[in-house]
Amino acid sequence: MNQFTGKIWILGDDIDTDIIIPTEYLALKTVQDMAPYAFSPLRAELAGQIKEGDIIVAGKNFGCGSSREQAPEIIKALGIKCVIAKSFARIFFRNAINNGLLLIENDKLQGDVKEGEEITVTINEAIEYHGNRYPITSLPQNLVDILNAGGLVKAMQKLNSSKDCTILGGK
């Protein structure tokens, strides 16, 4: 059973990729260089307050806007363990999974939780908050495998290291 507990940060509806990481910071060299500017149009102090293992709880349409891959990478670089939202933009959802960032859809949690408190997530089972259980839909096993590996590239490296890759020039 994969379970973790984290501090809640609450965000609203329609958090787009320009809010997650504004365009002017995309020219910085690394995701770590960009991370301090995450969410700055919304809450300039937020990136500096987030700690390893924290959880974002948001409204509908999280990750809408452009398809920039840096958005989920930066959320992960901040140490966010997962994002729980009422809904996600499709391209953001796929980019997040490909980068090893867990996303959970739940349409009830945002209205019930308080920022700064903790919730416990049991992957593919439920979210627990103040004795209440919020069932969550299970992710398909192939997506869980990608998340557990830390992203799509790492999952493929793991898969390919267990096979004979001499045809592709592997060792």
Side-chain angles (χ1 to χ4, degrees), residues 112-152:
D112 292 352
V113 297
K114 289 188 170 86
E115 188 166 279
E117 294 190 347
E118 291 188 340
I119 55 174
T120 299
V121 175
T122 304
I123 296 175
N124 283 346
E125 286 186 28
I127 301 162
E128 294 178 40
Y129 176 73
H130 288 274
N132 295 318
R133 270 178 77 81
Y134 300 81
I136 54 177
T137 303
S138 293
L139 290 170
Q141 189 59 47
N142 65 322
L143 297 185
V144 172
D145 292 344
I146 291 169
L147 289 166
N148 286 338
L152 182 60

PDB file of all heavy atoms in Angstrom, residues 112-152:
ATOM      1  N   ASP A 112     -13.857  21.087   1.396  1.00  0.00           N
ATOM      2  CA  ASP A 112     -13.893  20.567   2.757  1.00  0.00           C
ATOM      3  C   ASP A 112     -12.619  20.806   3.559  1.00  0.00           C
ATOM      4  O   ASP A 112     -12.651  20.758   4.780  1.00  0.00           O
ATOM      5  CB  ASP A 112     -14.162  19.051   2.732  1.00  0.00           C
ATOM      6  CG  ASP A 112     -15.567  18.720   2.246  1.00  0.00           C
ATOM      7  OD1 ASP A 112     -16.391  19.641   2.076  1.00  0.00           O
ATOM      8  OD2 ASP A 112     -15.833  17.524   2.021  1.00  0.00           O
ATOM      9  N   VAL A 113     -11.486  21.015   2.888  1.00  0.00           N
ATOM     10  CA  VAL A 113     -10.202  21.098   3.598  1.00  0.00           C
ATOM     11  C   VAL A 113      -9.805  22.534   3.899  1.00  0.00           C
ATOM     12  O   VAL A 113     -10.321  23.474   3.298  1.00  0.00           O
ATOM     13  CB  VAL A 113      -9.067  20.408   2.794  1.00  0.00           C
ATOM     14  CG1 VAL A 113      -9.352  18.927   2.630  1.00  0.00           C
ATOM     15  CG2 VAL A 113      -8.842  21.076   1.453  1.00  0.00           C
ATOM     16  N   LYS A 114      -8.854  22.667   4.837  1.00  0.00           N
ATOM     17  CA  LYS A 114      -8.303  23.977   5.192  1.00  0.00           C
ATOM     18  C   LYS A 114      -6.811  23.975   4.894  1.00  0.00           C
ATOM     19  O   LYS A 114      -6.101  23.010   5.211  1.00  0.00           O
ATOM     20  CB  LYS A 114      -8.536  24.272   6.671  1.00  0.00           C
ATOM     21  CG  LYS A 114      -9.986  24.544   7.002  1.00  0.00           C
ATOM     22  CD  LYS A 114     -10.123  25.014   8.439  1.00  0.00           C
ATOM     23  CE  LYS A 114     -11.498  25.519   8.703  1.00  0.00           C
ATOM     24  NZ  LYS A 114     -12.472  24.562   9.088  1.00  0.00           N
ATOM     25  N   GLU A 115      -6.336  25.078   4.313  1.00  0.00           N
ATOM     26  CA  GLU A 115      -4.920  25.204   4.006  1.00  0.00           C
ATOM     27  C   GLU A 115      -4.090  25.109   5.284  1.00  0.00           C
ATOM     28  O   GLU A 115      -4.465  25.639   6.318  1.00  0.00           O
ATOM     29  CB  GLU A 115      -4.648  26.530   3.284  1.00  0.00           C
ATOM     30  CG  GLU A 115      -3.224  26.623   2.773  1.00  0.00           C
ATOM     31  CD  GLU A 115      -3.039  27.751   1.786  1.00  0.00           C
ATOM     32  OE1 GLU A 115      -3.382  27.565   0.601  1.00  0.00           O
ATOM     33  OE2 GLU A 115      -2.557  28.811   2.210  1.00  0.00           O
ATOM     34  N   GLY A 116      -2.962  24.427   5.169  1.00  0.00           N
ATOM     35  CA  GLY A 116      -2.059  24.269   6.297  1.00  0.00           C
ATOM     36  C   GLY A 116      -2.286  23.006   7.101  1.00  0.00           C
ATOM     37  O   GLY A 116      -1.423  22.585   7.857  1.00  0.00           O
ATOM     38  N   GLU A 117      -3.461  22.404   6.946  1.00  0.00           N
ATOM     39  CA  GLU A 117      -3.728  21.140   7.633  1.00  0.00           C
ATOM     40  C   GLU A 117      -3.176  19.995   6.793  1.00  0.00           C
ATOM     41  O   GLU A 117      -2.656  20.212   5.705  1.00  0.00           O
ATOM     42  CB  GLU A 117      -5.231  20.994   7.885  1.00  0.00           C
ATOM     43  CG  GLU A 117      -5.726  22.033   8.869  1.00  0.00           C
ATOM     44  CD  GLU A 117      -7.146  21.801   9.341  1.00  0.00           C
ATOM     45  OE1 GLU A 117      -7.866  20.980   8.734  1.00  0.00           O
ATOM     46  OE2 GLU A 117      -7.527  22.450  10.325  1.00  0.00           O
ATOM     47  N   GLU A 118      -3.268  18.783   7.295  1.00  0.00           N
ATOM     48  CA  GLU A 118      -2.713  17.633   6.591  1.00  0.00           C
ATOM     49  C   GLU A 118      -3.808  16.694   6.117  1.00  0.00           C
ATOM     50  O   GLU A 118      -4.859  16.574   6.751  1.00  0.00           O
ATOM     51  CB  GLU A 118      -1.752  16.866   7.500  1.00  0.00           C
ATOM     52  CG  GLU A 118      -0.485  17.636   7.785  1.00  0.00           C
ATOM     53  CD  GLU A 118       0.552  16.812   8.524  1.00  0.00           C
ATOM     54  OE1 GLU A 118       0.203  15.789   9.162  1.00  0.00           O
ATOM     55  OE2 GLU A 118       1.730  17.198   8.460  1.00  0.00           O
ATOM     56  N   ILE A 119      -3.503  16.027   5.010  1.00  0.00           N
ATOM     57  CA  ILE A 119      -4.349  14.951   4.503  1.00  0.00           C
ATOM     58  C   ILE A 119      -3.451  13.746   4.251  1.00  0.00           C
ATOM     59  O   ILE A 119      -2.245  13.876   4.054  1.00  0.00           O
ATOM     60  CB  ILE A 119      -5.109  15.325   3.214  1.00  0.00           C
ATOM     61  CG1 ILE A 119      -4.161  15.806   2.114  1.00  0.00           C
ATOM     62  CG2 ILE A 119      -6.187  16.332   3.481  1.00  0.00           C
ATOM     63  CD1 ILE A 119      -4.858  16.057   0.783  1.00  0.00           C
ATOM     64  N   THR A 120      -4.072  12.591   4.252  1.00  0.00           N
ATOM     65  CA  THR A 120      -3.364  11.347   3.958  1.00  0.00           C
ATOM     66  C   THR A 120      -3.946  10.761   2.682  1.00  0.00           C
ATOM     67  O   THR A 120      -5.165  10.675   2.528  1.00  0.00           O
ATOM     68  CB  THR A 120      -3.507  10.343   5.118  1.00  0.00           C
ATOM     69  OG1 THR A 120      -2.934  10.935   6.288  1.00  0.00           O
ATOM     70  CG2 THR A 120      -2.794   9.032   4.811  1.00  0.00           C
ATOM     71  N   VAL A 121      -3.058  10.377   1.781  1.00  0.00           N
ATOM     72  CA  VAL A 121      -3.455   9.790   0.505  1.00  0.00           C
ATOM     73  C   VAL A 121      -2.978   8.343   0.465  1.00  0.00           C
ATOM     74  O   VAL A 121      -1.811   8.067   0.741  1.00  0.00           O
ATOM     75  CB  VAL A 121      -2.837  10.559  -0.684  1.00  0.00           C
ATOM     76  CG1 VAL A 121      -3.147   9.873  -2.005  1.00  0.00           C
ATOM     77  CG2 VAL A 121      -3.315  12.004  -0.701  1.00  0.00           C
ATOM     78  N   THR A 122      -3.888   7.448   0.156  1.00  0.00           N
ATOM     79  CA  THR A 122      -3.530   6.070  -0.139  1.00  0.00           C
ATOM     80  C   THR A 122      -3.796   5.898  -1.628  1.00  0.00           C
ATOM     81  O   THR A 122      -4.943   5.957  -2.076  1.00  0.00           O
ATOM     82  CB  THR A 122      -4.367   5.067   0.684  1.00  0.00           C
ATOM     83  OG1 THR A 122      -4.191   5.383   2.069  1.00  0.00           O
ATOM     84  CG2 THR A 122      -3.907   3.643   0.419  1.00  0.00           C
ATOM     85  N   ILE A 123      -2.712   5.752  -2.381  1.00  0.00           N
ATOM     86  CA  ILE A 123      -2.814   5.721  -3.846  1.00  0.00           C
ATOM     87  C   ILE A 123      -3.767   4.615  -4.286  1.00  0.00           C
ATOM     88  O   ILE A 123      -3.728   3.494  -3.779  1.00  0.00           O
ATOM     89  CB  ILE A 123      -1.419   5.546  -4.482  1.00  0.00           C
ATOM     90  CG1 ILE A 123      -0.563   6.769  -4.152  1.00  0.00           C
ATOM     91  CG2 ILE A 123      -1.520   5.351  -5.993  1.00  0.00           C
ATOM     92  CD1 ILE A 123       0.864   6.685  -4.614  1.00  0.00           C
ATOM     93  N   ASN A 124      -4.624   4.976  -5.231  1.00  0.00           N
ATOM     94  CA  ASN A 124      -5.631   4.093  -5.823  1.00  0.00           C
ATOM     95  C   ASN A 124      -6.696   3.626  -4.830  1.00  0.00           C
ATOM     96  O   ASN A 124      -7.415   2.671  -5.104  1.00  0.00           O
ATOM     97  CB  ASN A 124      -4.990   2.893  -6.517  1.00  0.00           C
ATOM     98  CG  ASN A 124      -4.406   3.280  -7.855  1.00  0.00           C
ATOM     99  OD1 ASN A 124      -4.685   4.344  -8.395  1.00  0.00           O
ATOM    100  ND2 ASN A 124      -3.580   2.411  -8.408  1.00  0.00           N
ATOM    101  N   GLU A 125      -6.804   4.307  -3.669  1.00  0.00           N
ATOM    102  CA  GLU A 125      -7.838   3.938  -2.700  1.00  0.00           C
ATOM    103  C   GLU A 125      -8.647   5.138  -2.225  1.00  0.00           C
ATOM    104  O   GLU A 125      -9.803   5.274  -2.574  1.00  0.00           O
ATOM    105  CB  GLU A 125      -7.237   3.212  -1.495  1.00  0.00           C
ATOM    106  CG  GLU A 125      -6.808   1.798  -1.796  1.00  0.00           C
ATOM    107  CD  GLU A 125      -6.343   1.066  -0.548  1.00  0.00           C
ATOM    108  OE1 GLU A 125      -6.807   1.392   0.564  1.00  0.00           O
ATOM    109  OE2 GLU A 125      -5.507   0.162  -0.699  1.00  0.00           O
ATOM    110  N   ALA A 126      -8.002   6.004  -1.405  1.00  0.00           N
ATOM    111  CA  ALA A 126      -8.782   7.084  -0.787  1.00  0.00           C
ATOM    112  C   ALA A 126      -7.875   8.181  -0.256  1.00  0.00           C
ATOM    113  O   ALA A 126      -6.670   7.998  -0.094  1.00  0.00           O
ATOM    114  CB  ALA A 126      -9.634   6.528   0.355  1.00  0.00           C
ATOM    115  N   ILE A 127      -8.515   9.314   0.026  1.00  0.00           N
ATOM    116  CA  ILE A 127      -7.901  10.438   0.714  1.00  0.00           C
ATOM    117  C   ILE A 127      -8.592  10.514   2.074  1.00  0.00           C
ATOM    118  O   ILE A 127      -9.822  10.370   2.160  1.00  0.00           O
ATOM    119  CB  ILE A 127      -8.131  11.751  -0.062  1.00  0.00           C
ATOM    120  CG1 ILE A 127      -7.551  11.655  -1.476  1.00  0.00           C
ATOM    121  CG2 ILE A 127      -7.542  12.938   0.693  1.00  0.00           C
ATOM    122  CD1 ILE A 127      -8.091  12.706  -2.430  1.00  0.00           C
ATOM    123  N   GLU A 128      -7.810  10.741   3.128  1.00  0.00           N
ATOM    124  CA  GLU A 128      -8.396  10.859   4.474  1.00  0.00           C
ATOM    125  C   GLU A 128      -8.099  12.237   5.032  1.00  0.00           C
ATOM    126  O   GLU A 128      -6.976  12.729   4.948  1.00  0.00           O
ATOM    127  CB  GLU A 128      -7.820   9.784   5.396  1.00  0.00           C
ATOM    128  CG  GLU A 128      -8.213   8.383   4.975  1.00  0.00           C
ATOM    129  CD  GLU A 128      -7.601   7.316   5.859  1.00  0.00           C
ATOM    130  OE1 GLU A 128      -7.539   7.527   7.097  1.00  0.00           O
ATOM    131  OE2 GLU A 128      -7.180   6.299   5.299  1.00  0.00           O
ATOM    132  N   TYR A 129      -9.152  12.860   5.590  1.00  0.00           N
ATOM    133  CA  TYR A 129      -9.047  14.194   6.185  1.00  0.00           C
ATOM    134  C   TYR A 129     -10.016  14.285   7.342  1.00  0.00           C
ATOM    135  O   TYR A 129     -11.232  14.124   7.148  1.00  0.00           O
ATOM    136  CB  TYR A 129      -9.348  15.263   5.131  1.00  0.00           C
ATOM    137  CG  TYR A 129      -9.375  16.675   5.648  1.00  0.00           C
ATOM    138  CD1 TYR A 129      -8.208  17.335   5.996  1.00  0.00           C
ATOM    139  CD2 TYR A 129     -10.575  17.359   5.806  1.00  0.00           C
ATOM    140  CE1 TYR A 129      -8.223  18.636   6.473  1.00  0.00           C
ATOM    141  CE2 TYR A 129     -10.610  18.670   6.276  1.00  0.00           C
ATOM    142  CZ  TYR A 129      -9.435  19.296   6.610  1.00  0.00           C
ATOM    143  OH  TYR A 129      -9.454  20.587   7.086  1.00  0.00           O
ATOM    144  N   HIS A 130      -9.510  14.505   8.541  1.00  0.00           N
ATOM    145  CA  HIS A 130     -10.331  14.639   9.756  1.00  0.00           C
ATOM    146  C   HIS A 130     -11.349  13.510   9.889  1.00  0.00           C
ATOM    147  O   HIS A 130     -12.523  13.749  10.196  1.00  0.00           O
ATOM    148  CB  HIS A 130     -11.048  15.993   9.790  1.00  0.00           C
ATOM    149  CG  HIS A 130     -10.134  17.135  10.070  1.00  0.00           C
ATOM    150  ND1 HIS A 130      -9.800  17.519  11.341  1.00  0.00           N
ATOM    151  CD2 HIS A 130      -9.464  17.972   9.244  1.00  0.00           C
ATOM    152  CE1 HIS A 130      -8.980  18.548  11.295  1.00  0.00           C
ATOM    153  NE2 HIS A 130      -8.736  18.837  10.029  1.00  0.00           N
ATOM    154  N   GLY A 131     -10.904  12.286   9.660  1.00  0.00           N
ATOM    155  CA  GLY A 131     -11.770  11.125   9.817  1.00  0.00           C
ATOM    156  C   GLY A 131     -12.691  10.839   8.647  1.00  0.00           C
ATOM    157  O   GLY A 131     -13.401   9.829   8.654  1.00  0.00           O
ATOM    158  N   ASN A 132     -12.721  11.713   7.656  1.00  0.00           N
ATOM    159  CA  ASN A 132     -13.542  11.483   6.468  1.00  0.00           C
ATOM    160  C   ASN A 132     -12.703  10.823   5.388  1.00  0.00           C
ATOM    161  O   ASN A 132     -11.538  11.164   5.200  1.00  0.00           O
ATOM    162  CB  ASN A 132     -14.105  12.802   5.931  1.00  0.00           C
ATOM    163  CG  ASN A 132     -15.063  13.436   6.908  1.00  0.00           C
ATOM    164  OD1 ASN A 132     -15.887  12.760   7.519  1.00  0.00           O
ATOM    165  ND2 ASN A 132     -14.947  14.737   7.082  1.00  0.00           N
ATOM    166  N   ARG A 133     -13.314   9.876   4.673  1.00  0.00           N
ATOM    167  CA  ARG A 133     -12.655   9.200   3.548  1.00  0.00           C
ATOM    168  C   ARG A 133     -13.277   9.659   2.239  1.00  0.00           C
ATOM    169  O   ARG A 133     -14.497   9.679   2.105  1.00  0.00           O
ATOM    170  CB  ARG A 133     -12.823   7.683   3.653  1.00  0.00           C
ATOM    171  CG  ARG A 133     -11.739   6.994   4.422  1.00  0.00           C
ATOM    172  CD  ARG A 133     -11.982   5.499   4.529  1.00  0.00           C
ATOM    173  NE  ARG A 133     -11.673   4.726   3.346  1.00  0.00           N
ATOM    174  CZ  ARG A 133     -10.455   4.328   3.011  1.00  0.00           C
ATOM    175  NH1 ARG A 133      -9.435   4.656   3.750  1.00  0.00           N
ATOM    176  NH2 ARG A 133     -10.265   3.604   1.936  1.00  0.00           N
ATOM    177  N   TYR A 134     -12.411  10.012   1.310  1.00  0.00           N
ATOM    178  CA  TYR A 134     -12.824  10.427  -0.029  1.00  0.00           C
ATOM    179  C   TYR A 134     -12.275   9.391  -1.003  1.00  0.00           C
ATOM    180  O   TYR A 134     -11.077   9.381  -1.266  1.00  0.00           O
ATOM    181  CB  TYR A 134     -12.256  11.809  -0.361  1.00  0.00           C
ATOM    182  CG  TYR A 134     -12.706  12.903   0.581  1.00  0.00           C
ATOM    183  CD1 TYR A 134     -12.095  13.087   1.817  1.00  0.00           C
ATOM    184  CD2 TYR A 134     -13.749  13.746   0.231  1.00  0.00           C
ATOM    185  CE1 TYR A 134     -12.505  14.078   2.683  1.00  0.00           C
ATOM    186  CE2 TYR A 134     -14.165  14.751   1.093  1.00  0.00           C
ATOM    187  CZ  TYR A 134     -13.540  14.909   2.311  1.00  0.00           C
ATOM    188  OH  TYR A 134     -13.955  15.905   3.171  1.00  0.00           O
ATOM    189  N   PRO A 135     -13.145   8.498  -1.490  1.00  0.00           N
ATOM    190  CA  PRO A 135     -12.659   7.480  -2.428  1.00  0.00           C
ATOM    191  C   PRO A 135     -12.072   8.129  -3.680  1.00  0.00           C
ATOM    192  O   PRO A 135     -12.534   9.188  -4.120  1.00  0.00           O
ATOM    193  CB  PRO A 135     -13.911   6.674  -2.779  1.00  0.00           C
ATOM    194  CG  PRO A 135     -14.891   6.983  -1.696  1.00  0.00           C
ATOM    195  CD  PRO A 135     -14.568   8.373  -1.229  1.00  0.00           C
ATOM    196  N   ILE A 136     -11.048   7.504  -4.233  1.00  0.00           N
ATOM    197  CA  ILE A 136     -10.457   7.996  -5.478  1.00  0.00           C
ATOM    198  C   ILE A 136     -10.423   6.862  -6.500  1.00  0.00           C
ATOM    199  O   ILE A 136     -10.339   5.684  -6.146  1.00  0.00           O
ATOM    200  CB  ILE A 136      -9.046   8.596  -5.273  1.00  0.00           C
ATOM    201  CG1 ILE A 136      -8.105   7.622  -4.572  1.00  0.00           C
ATOM    202  CG2 ILE A 136      -9.132   9.889  -4.502  1.00  0.00           C
ATOM    203  CD1 ILE A 136      -6.682   8.128  -4.405  1.00  0.00           C
ATOM    204  N   THR A 137     -10.500   7.252  -7.746  1.00  0.00           N
ATOM    205  CA  THR A 137     -10.460   6.283  -8.834  1.00  0.00           C
ATOM    206  C   THR A 137      -9.045   5.759  -8.996  1.00  0.00           C
ATOM    207  O   THR A 137      -8.079   6.519  -8.933  1.00  0.00           O
ATOM    208  CB  THR A 137     -10.917   6.961 -10.148  1.00  0.00           C
ATOM    209  OG1 THR A 137     -12.224   7.503  -9.937  1.00  0.00           O
ATOM    210  CG2 THR A 137     -10.946   5.978 -11.289  1.00  0.00           C
ATOM    211  N   SER A 138      -8.935   4.481  -9.225  1.00  0.00           N
ATOM    212  CA  SER A 138      -7.627   3.867  -9.437  1.00  0.00           C
ATOM    213  C   SER A 138      -7.073   4.257 -10.792  1.00  0.00           C
ATOM    214  O   SER A 138      -7.798   4.316 -11.781  1.00  0.00           O
ATOM    215  CB  SER A 138      -7.739   2.342  -9.371  1.00  0.00           C
ATOM    216  OG  SER A 138      -8.069   1.923  -8.078  1.00  0.00           O
ATOM    217  N   LEU A 139      -5.776   4.515 -10.813  1.00  0.00           N
ATOM    218  CA  LEU A 139      -5.084   4.750 -12.075  1.00  0.00           C
ATOM    219  C   LEU A 139      -4.764   3.406 -12.713  1.00  0.00           C
ATOM    220  O   LEU A 139      -4.500   2.431 -12.002  1.00  0.00           O
ATOM    221  CB  LEU A 139      -3.783   5.510 -11.840  1.00  0.00           C
ATOM    222  CG  LEU A 139      -3.894   6.958 -11.411  1.00  0.00           C
ATOM    223  CD1 LEU A 139      -2.528   7.495 -10.982  1.00  0.00           C
ATOM    224  CD2 LEU A 139      -4.455   7.808 -12.546  1.00  0.00           C
ATOM    225  N   PRO A 140      -4.737   3.351 -14.036  1.00  0.00           N
ATOM    226  CA  PRO A 140      -4.321   2.103 -14.692  1.00  0.00           C
ATOM    227  C   PRO A 140      -2.891   1.738 -14.292  1.00  0.00           C
ATOM    228  O   PRO A 140      -2.063   2.617 -14.020  1.00  0.00           O
ATOM    229  CB  PRO A 140      -4.390   2.455 -16.182  1.00  0.00           C
ATOM    230  CG  PRO A 140      -5.250   3.659 -16.277  1.00  0.00           C
ATOM    231  CD  PRO A 140      -5.102   4.387 -14.975  1.00  0.00           C
ATOM    232  N   GLN A 141      -2.589   0.454 -14.278  1.00  0.00           N
ATOM    233  CA  GLN A 141      -1.292  -0.026 -13.821  1.00  0.00           C
ATOM    234  C   GLN A 141      -0.131   0.563 -14.611  1.00  0.00           C
ATOM    235  O   GLN A 141       0.917   0.874 -14.046  1.00  0.00           O
ATOM    236  CB  GLN A 141      -1.227  -1.566 -13.862  1.00  0.00           C
ATOM    237  CG  GLN A 141       0.024  -2.119 -13.205  1.00  0.00           C
ATOM    238  CD  GLN A 141       0.158  -1.718 -11.736  1.00  0.00           C
ATOM    239  OE1 GLN A 141      -0.788  -1.816 -10.969  1.00  0.00           O
ATOM    240  NE2 GLN A 141       1.344  -1.252 -11.335  1.00  0.00           N
ATOM    241  N   ASN A 142      -0.311   0.779 -15.917  1.00  0.00           N
ATOM    242  CA  ASN A 142       0.798   1.340 -16.701  1.00  0.00           C
ATOM    243  C   ASN A 142       1.144   2.755 -16.233  1.00  0.00           C
ATOM    244  O   ASN A 142       2.317   3.133 -16.219  1.00  0.00           O
ATOM    245  CB  ASN A 142       0.499   1.310 -18.204  1.00  0.00           C
ATOM    246  CG  ASN A 142      -0.664   2.199 -18.607  1.00  0.00           C
ATOM    247  OD1 ASN A 142      -1.666   2.306 -17.891  1.00  0.00           O
ATOM    248  ND2 ASN A 142      -0.559   2.822 -19.755  1.00  0.00           N
ATOM    249  N   LEU A 143       0.161   3.547 -15.809  1.00  0.00           N
ATOM    250  CA  LEU A 143       0.445   4.884 -15.290  1.00  0.00           C
ATOM    251  C   LEU A 143       1.080   4.812 -13.903  1.00  0.00           C
ATOM    252  O   LEU A 143       1.982   5.590 -13.592  1.00  0.00           O
ATOM    253  CB  LEU A 143      -0.823   5.730 -15.259  1.00  0.00           C
ATOM    254  CG  LEU A 143      -1.482   6.016 -16.607  1.00  0.00           C
ATOM    255  CD1 LEU A 143      -2.651   6.973 -16.440  1.00  0.00           C
ATOM    256  CD2 LEU A 143      -0.496   6.540 -17.622  1.00  0.00           C
ATOM    257  N   VAL A 144       0.640   3.871 -13.075  1.00  0.00           N
ATOM    258  CA  VAL A 144       1.252   3.681 -11.757  1.00  0.00           C
ATOM    259  C   VAL A 144       2.723   3.295 -11.928  1.00  0.00           C
ATOM    260  O   VAL A 144       3.590   3.795 -11.203  1.00  0.00           O
ATOM    261  CB  VAL A 144       0.478   2.621 -10.939  1.00  0.00           C
ATOM    262  CG1 VAL A 144       1.208   2.277  -9.644  1.00  0.00           C
ATOM    263  CG2 VAL A 144      -0.939   3.111 -10.637  1.00  0.00           C
ATOM    264  N   ASP A 145       3.007   2.435 -12.891  1.00  0.00           N
ATOM    265  CA  ASP A 145       4.395   2.025 -13.149  1.00  0.00           C
ATOM    266  C   ASP A 145       5.254   3.228 -13.546  1.00  0.00           C
ATOM    267  O   ASP A 145       6.394   3.359 -13.096  1.00  0.00           O
ATOM    268  CB  ASP A 145       4.454   0.962 -14.247  1.00  0.00           C
ATOM    269  CG  ASP A 145       3.856  -0.370 -13.816  1.00  0.00           C
ATOM    270  OD1 ASP A 145       3.670  -0.588 -12.597  1.00  0.00           O
ATOM    271  OD2 ASP A 145       3.562  -1.186 -14.708  1.00  0.00           O
ATOM    272  N   ILE A 146       4.703   4.105 -14.382  1.00  0.00           N
ATOM    273  CA  ILE A 146       5.431   5.311 -14.796  1.00  0.00           C
ATOM    274  C   ILE A 146       5.686   6.214 -13.591  1.00  0.00           C
ATOM    275  O   ILE A 146       6.793   6.705 -13.390  1.00  0.00           O
ATOM    276  CB  ILE A 146       4.659   6.065 -15.907  1.00  0.00           C
ATOM    277  CG1 ILE A 146       4.681   5.256 -17.206  1.00  0.00           C
ATOM    278  CG2 ILE A 146       5.243   7.464 -16.142  1.00  0.00           C
ATOM    279  CD1 ILE A 146       3.731   5.771 -18.285  1.00  0.00           C
ATOM    280  N   LEU A 147       4.664   6.427 -12.764  1.00  0.00           N
ATOM    281  CA  LEU A 147       4.813   7.259 -11.566  1.00  0.00           C
ATOM    282  C   LEU A 147       5.835   6.666 -10.606  1.00  0.00           C
ATOM    283  O   LEU A 147       6.690   7.380 -10.075  1.00  0.00           O
ATOM    284  CB  LEU A 147       3.465   7.424 -10.859  1.00  0.00           C
ATOM    285  CG  LEU A 147       2.450   8.306 -11.571  1.00  0.00           C
ATOM    286  CD1 LEU A 147       1.067   8.116 -10.973  1.00  0.00           C
ATOM    287  CD2 LEU A 147       2.874   9.758 -11.523  1.00  0.00           C
ATOM    288  N   ASN A 148       5.759   5.359 -10.369  1.00  0.00           N
ATOM    289  CA  ASN A 148       6.683   4.704  -9.442  1.00  0.00           C
ATOM    290  C   ASN A 148       8.125   4.774  -9.923  1.00  0.00           C
ATOM    291  O   ASN A 148       9.049   4.831  -9.110  1.00  0.00           O
ATOM    292  CB  ASN A 148       6.281   3.246  -9.213  1.00  0.00           C
ATOM    293  CG  ASN A 148       5.055   3.127  -8.333  1.00  0.00           C
ATOM    294  OD1 ASN A 148       4.728   4.037  -7.570  1.00  0.00           O
ATOM    295  ND2 ASN A 148       4.358   2.012  -8.433  1.00  0.00           N
ATOM    296  N   ALA A 149       8.322   4.803 -11.230  1.00  0.00           N
ATOM    297  CA  ALA A 149       9.674   4.893 -11.788  1.00  0.00           C
ATOM    298  C   ALA A 149      10.211   6.320 -11.734  1.00  0.00           C
ATOM    299  O   ALA A 149      11.401   6.535 -11.908  1.00  0.00           O
ATOM    300  CB  ALA A 149       9.683   4.390 -13.227  1.00  0.00           C
ATOM    301  N   GLY A 150       9.329   7.303 -11.528  1.00  0.00           N
ATOM    302  CA  GLY A 150       9.757   8.704 -11.496  1.00  0.00           C
ATOM    303  C   GLY A 150       9.524   9.431 -12.805  1.00  0.00           C
ATOM    304  O   GLY A 150       9.999  10.533 -13.005  1.00  0.00           O
ATOM    305  N   GLY A 151       8.790   8.813 -13.714  1.00  0.00           N
ATOM    306  CA  GLY A 151       8.476   9.442 -14.997  1.00  0.00           C
ATOM    307  C   GLY A 151       8.631   8.452 -16.143  1.00  0.00           C
ATOM    308  O   GLY A 151       9.150   7.334 -15.967  1.00  0.00           O
ATOM    309  N   LEU A 152       8.189   8.871 -17.322  1.00  0.00           N
ATOM    310  CA  LEU A 152       8.181   7.988 -18.485  1.00  0.00           C
ATOM    311  C   LEU A 152       9.583   7.582 -18.932  1.00  0.00           C
ATOM    312  O   LEU A 152       9.839   6.411 -19.213  1.00  0.00           O
ATOM    313  CB  LEU A 152       7.433   8.651 -19.653  1.00  0.00           C
ATOM    314  CG  LEU A 152       7.296   7.824 -20.922  1.00  0.00           C
ATOM    315  CD1 LEU A 152       6.545   6.526 -20.648  1.00  0.00           C
ATOM    316  CD2 LEU A 152       6.595   8.626 -22.004  1.00  0.00           C
TER     317      LEU A 152
END
